[in-house]
Amino acid sequence: WTQVNSDILPTSNTIYNIGSTSSSFNAVYAKDFYGNAHYADVYFSDVECCVCNQKFKEEDLIVFKVIEVTEKEIRTLPVHLHCLKR
């Protein structure tokens, strides 16, 4: 393992990549992600709908409930689709 204890910065803006189409990383672990995710799976730490308090299960249809909007981000919570009218 190679560990770093400082920022990793490119010498020029928007020129360099991490990985490639033929040699990619398996997983990236980070507290925050800023940028564009063109293809991504979405994972939530919330396991219950904030409206009905029922646990999500496979095949549930969900939507996002916006809970905060700032200049830089939109914070959301997952909600069952059928809970929208409640």
Side-chain angles (χ1 to χ4, degrees):
W1 294 80
T2 300
Q3 295 182 340
V4 296
N5 60 1
S6 63
D7 294 335
I8 300 171
L9 301 172
T11 56
S12 297
N13 196 26
T14 67
I15 292 178
Y16 300 105
N17 298 317
I18 297 176
S20 70
T21 56
S22 62
S23 183
S24 62
F25 290 90
N26 182 55
V28 177
Y29 297 91
K31 179 181 170 289
D32 297 312
F33 173 80
Y34 298 95
N36 297 318
H38 297 282
Y39 302 98
D41 290 326
V42 178
Y43 296 89
F44 299 99
S45 57
D46 306 287
V47 296
E48 295 179 352
C49 174
C50 67
V51 175
C52 69
N53 298 317
Q54 296 296 309
K55 288 191 175 187
F56 294 111
K57 58 186 181 303
E58 290 183 21
E59 305 297 322
D60 279 353
L61 298 176
I62 65 168
V63 294
F64 299 111
K65 178 180 180 180
V66 176
I67 58 171
E68 182 181 6
V69 178
T70 69
E71 288 185 26
K72 295 189 176 196
E73 66 184 7
I74 298 171
R75 298 187 63 210
T76 63
L77 289 173
V79 176
H80 287 114
L81 181 61
H82 61 83
C83 290
L84 275 181
K85 302 288 183 189
R86 291 186 180 185

